[in-house]
Amino acid sequence: MFSSLMLVSLLVLTLPIMSSIFNTHKNSTFPHHVKNTISYAFITSLIPTMMFIHSGQETIISNWHWMTMQTLKLSLSFKLDYFSMIFVPVALFVTWSIMEFSLWYMHSDPYITRFFKYLLTFLITMMILVTANNLFQLFIGWEGVGIMSFLLIGWWYGRTDANTAALQAILYNRIGDIGFIMAMAWFLFNTNTWDLQQIFMLDPNLTNLPLLGLLLAATGKSAQFGLHPWLPSAMEGPTPVSALLHSSTMVVAGVFLLIRFHPLMENNKTIQSLTLCLGAITTLFTAICALTQNDIKKIIAFSTSSQLGLMIVTIGINQPYLAFLHICTHAFFKAMLFMCSGSIIHSLNDEQDIRKMGGLFNAMPFTTTSLIIGSLALTGMPFLTGFYSKDLIIETANTSYTNAWALLMTLIATSLTAVYSTRIIFFALLGQPRFLPLTLINENNPFLINSIKRLLIGSIFAGFFISNNIYPTTVPEMTMPTYMKLTALAVTILGFTLALELSLMTHNLKLEHSTSVFKFSNLLGYYPTIMHRLPPLANLSMSQKSASLLLDSIWLENILPKSISQFQMKTSILISTQKGQIKLYFLSFLITLTLSMLLFNLHE
Amino acid sequence: MLKIIIPTIMLMPLTWLSKKNMIWINTTTYSLLISLISLSLLNQPSNNSLNFSLMFFSDPLSAPLLVLTTWLLPLMLMASQHHLSKEPLTRKKLYITMLTMLQTFLIMTFTATELISFYILFEATLVPTLIIITRWGNQTERLNAGLYFLFYTLMGSLPLLVALISIQNLTGSLNFLLIQYWNQALPDSWSNIFLWLACMMAFMVKMPLYGLHLWLPKAHVEAPIAGSMVLAAILLKLGGYGMLRITTMLNPQTSFMAYPFLMLSLWGMIMTSSICLRQTDLKSLIAYSSVSHMALVIVAVLIQTPWSYMGATALMIAHGLTSSMLFCLANSNYERTHSRTMILARGLQTLLPLMAAWWLLASLTNLALPPSINLIGELFVVMSSFSWSNITIILMGANITITALYSLYMLITTQRGKYTHHINSIKPSFTRENALMALHMTPLLLLSLNPKIILGFTY
């Protein structure tokens, strides 16, 4: 009952794709069909989730035997444990809302059917990733979401920026994939299995190498520092794509992977400190980058990146359940933030610059409400969704024996979260309108309202429900001094007040000379400037000059074919000049003949 | 085996006796039927090989390659129709005859039991290929390409003949079926090192090994579409097949002789895939990508573990179908824009959306998207090279990344972006072309459901 219902809800998702193969004439209703299907899948998946919460029974199902190679058995196998059972309904719920939102956002797109098919395929690959029980199946989902993100970022394929961003996403993801493949190879070599439960049961020693690989994979997929620039660039895609892939589902895949492999990580201190530092650097760096951006989607993208860093920090302090909790709660309000920004962007005729917004408080009351609630949830305002995960994370980090620098960076980043949230609210919603007066603003579309409303309710209550059902396996600290308990709140409030004061104060001031701090933040820490120019230039000129021109066209040509033909040409010219010395020729024949007779007749 | 060979030979009279408007239909249908017969070989009921006679046998290694060969002939015929539409009837018939002849030789090469007959047929495949390249290529450079193709392969394989004769003298037999049981270690001496080189070089040139690969881009670029298809899909695999067969008798020399070639391949695959990043010529890009993929096969064969053999076999089949499909796609562009330059055919997705879907699928299989058989091949090779030496993962990983990059670069350049004005009035894609792509894609997809039939003899 439990597992079959879960499989039903996964199978339901494939129905629209199957049906679209057979009847192509009902194109106009296809998007609605997809949306309804996802809502059915969501409702179906709720039943097994409830049963799971009630009984706490983890299940592994093996369905279809794919092949057995030597000693390795590969079969279609699903792992229905706490993480997948909670994440599936959350992802389906968020996707349902985003699908409905896309009906409004993409309604004028001639290829809306294809867009929905892409989104649905993405959702299926994400479900494969989440429920996979062996590494190969996980890899299918892992690569699948990568490719779907390529296709969806490059949705407006006429634009160069979109194509570059799509390629960039694939490039960074692929670098991460090297780590994944290395981990697969290591596990195959050392544990002779790709099944998760077998790997954990064998609990191999010296797991630095595979865990480093997995960390690299997570760095690529979850846009951690070093491989982060693709996430803000991915905002070239349509807003529903940003809401679904680049905030709530695909980008958390890396964190999810680390959570999955937590049984191996919890005993490996080296990897944990690395994870912690990586997460802390990411969360601070991207929060700094978010401060000075003017593109509303970019700000939210950097904030996503920063939150992903926070999740990685949580894994670094050995609290995978909290990281998972943050994944779930983050999905609600971040998807909603993107949808709100989509609503604003669409209403202002594709204007994304927050400096050209302002005063939307009056024009778009519903969007404003949602945006503010979403921002507050993001900053961890008490009793909104974000509070239940974020506050716990900060508290646990505060009370754990951990790297003080990493902790400090995380705290600063938390404070900066409030700062950039205030900035969005201040510039986009408050003050005087700065957009063109003839813009037709209308947010009264049921698709828009309903979808945002659903996530709005989620952003208020979801954290409470999910955090109540979390397992007390790795116990968070129960008692702590008051000042530690209040740290998270204090830094957030500090961020809010500072940002508000600064914004009010400097609103009418002109920035004469941009300071180096400003430049650092605005140019994303000079990272793209350096990394997107020097290494590609070096690589491409290497491949052109040394690989293609020097080696292939000159050296390899000259060493073998050209020199031989030259040699043949020279000798034939030399020899073919007839001198008419018939006696000499015969003599040379005679010598050869005699020599060969002498040499080869000796061994009889 | 005669039930495949004789029908294939009978394709030639069929071609010459067919009516003018029936030559393509007759030959395509007939060769498709032959390929259906050959499918039964994929069922290898026992661990031993299927012996048909003293001359021919098939085992799990040769069967998939054989099926690929027979499968490709109808595809080549379908692909060449437009290319030959302006030619007189006799030349069309001659062309089909050449393809059929090549097919016959290839079938016999893959099923030969004797190394000498394998060698002779291996060389015999050069003749029809050479004629196809130099007669039906599009530019004058085709003559140069033909020279390169012929001389590289011949020079590489002549020492093999000497080596084979010497082995025949030593052991008294060159039968593949007997060699398996012979398995005697070669004594460690200088002459045996040369024996190893002589045996391997022929196939290394054919594969091609980096450094000896110059003939391949030239031949691929200059050949007509059917030539490119068969070169990429099957002729390169002759090298891999030969290496897999002959390494069994070259122990223990392989264990230390392999190092320089392994290094060269690992290095070469990075170099060639970097070259792909800078190619402007579509066919040349696909050709270099073949070199880079085949380097993986060389690595796999030289590592000599069961997993690497599985990976090599799977990768050969997967790459055969994928690269052939890419060449077909490149050709469909060429027939419309009359240029191989990528930038002249950009933005085609707007005009030919279905073709763009095929491009996407072909690029994705080329970059080894799971769960395609390309991934299975590459993954197994990476696994075995990782267990051979952990450091190779850096090179392999770099190659995987660059492969993804150039595949998608190719996709983006040809399909995405704004289309140029001179392709406003191009022809729509024909059903023939779509069918052609579908016939490439279907086996790839179906094989991912059950990859074990192409995993070779170590499965």
Side-chain angles (χ1 to χ4, degrees), chain B residues 134-149:
Chain B
T134 48
R135 176 61 194 79
W136 280 279
N138 289 317
Q139 307 174 61
T140 39
E141 284 86 2
R142 66 179 189 268
L143 299 172
N144 194 19
L147 270 183
Y148 269 63
F149 169 67

Side-chain angles (χ1 to χ4, degrees), chain A residues 64-72 111 114 118 136 139-140 143-144 147 150-151 154-155 157-159 163-164 166-167 170-171 174-175 177-178 181-182 184-186 188-190 194 209 539-544 546-548 551-553 556-557 560-562 564, chain B residues 148 152 155 210-214 218 267 271 274-275 277-279 288 306-307 310 349-350 353 360 364 367-371 375-376 379-380 382-383 386-387 390 393 397-398 400-402 404-405 408-409 411-412 415-418 448-452 455 458-459:
Chain A
W64 173 56
H65 176 232
W66 192 40
M67 55 178 174
T68 308
M69 284 155 308
Q70 312 277 337
T71 52
L72 178 77
Y111 298 111
R114 191 195 295 167
Y118 279 6
F136 190 80
F139 193 53
I140 294 175
E143 286 290 288
I147 289 298
F150 168 81
L151 288 175
W155 176 252
Y157 56 81
R159 282 164 50 187
N163 288 326
T164 333
L167 199 57
I170 280 289
L171 170 60
R174 270 274 155 165
I175 295 175
D177 291 348
I178 300 173
I181 291 177
M182 183 177 79
M184 277 173 91
W186 195 91
L188 181 71
F189 192 48
N190 287 285
W194 279 339
L209 195 60
N539 184 17
L540 288 177
S541 59
M542 187 282 289
S543 47
Q544 174 75 359
S546 84
S548 183
L551 277 174
D552 260 43
S553 316
L556 293 177
E557 281 273 2
L560 277 173
K562 291 251 170 82
I564 291 177
Chain B
Y148 269 63
Y152 264 92
M155 295 295 251
Y210 180 73
L212 303 171
H213 66 278
L214 281 191
K218 287 189 204 300
W267 173 242
M271 291 310 261
S274 314
I275 291 174
L277 286 176
R278 290 302 292 256
Q279 286 300 319
Y288 272 110
W307 274 72
M310 283 195 272
Q349 183 171 5
T350 325
L360 176 68
L364 292 187
L367 63 82
L369 185 79
L375 176 93
I376 295 175
L379 200 61
F380 286 9
V382 175
M383 301 288 150
F386 181 79
S387 71
N390 285 0
I393 191 73
I400 288 171
T401 314
I402 302 176
L405 270 188
L408 292 174
Y409 156 69
L411 177 75
I412 285 180
Q415 304 302 311
R416 304 288 174 84
K418 287 194 179 61
S448 353
L449 285 181
N450 187 11
K452 61 185 166 226
L455 288 182
T458 49
Y459 169 71

Side-chain angles (χ1 to χ4, degrees), chain B residues 247-408:
Chain B
T247 37
T248 49
M249 45 190 281
L250 292 176
N251 280 324
Q253 257 72 13
T254 317
S255 54
F256 61 89
M257 283 300 289
Y259 286 106
F261 297 100
L262 270 170
M263 289 300 107
L264 203 56
S265 298
L266 285 170
W267 173 242
M269 88 195 165
I270 307 272
M271 291 310 261
T272 41
S273 34
S274 314
I275 291 174
C276 285
L277 286 176
R278 290 302 292 256
Q279 286 300 319
T280 49
D281 181 337
L282 193 50
K283 276 182 112 176
S284 172
L285 196 161
I286 305 169
Y288 272 110
S289 115
S290 294
V291 183
S292 143
H293 279 100
M294 285 301 107
L296 280 174
V297 177
I298 298 183
V299 171
V301 176
L302 290 179
I303 288 175
Q304 286 195 299
T305 59
W307 274 72
S308 74
Y309 281 165
M310 283 195 272
T313 326
L315 192 57
M316 283 200 285
I317 303 294
H319 174 259
L321 286 165
T322 311
S323 62
S324 167
M325 181 171 179
L326 283 173
F327 274 119
C328 287
L329 287 165
N331 184 55
S332 76
N333 272 5
Y334 180 75
E335 283 170 5
R336 288 177 173 75
T337 61
H338 307 287
S339 165
R340 294 190 309 262
T341 312
M342 269 194 284
I343 202 113
L344 290 180
R346 61 183 188 268
L348 280 183
Q349 183 171 5
T350 325
L351 301 170
L352 310 171
L354 188 54
M355 211 37 105
W358 296 122
W359 268 103
L360 176 68
L361 286 173
S363 310
L364 292 187
T365 44
N366 195 45
L367 63 82
L369 185 79
S372 66
I373 46 172
N374 303 58
L375 176 93
I376 295 175
E378 279 191 26
L379 200 61
F380 286 9
V381 178
V382 175
M383 301 288 150
S384 40
S385 80
F386 181 79
S387 71
W388 176 70
S389 154
N390 285 0
I391 307 165
T392 53
I393 191 73
I394 299 170
L395 293 168
M396 288 286 180
N399 187 43
I400 288 171
T401 314
I402 302 176
T403 307
L405 270 188
Y406 70 73
S407 302
L408 292 174

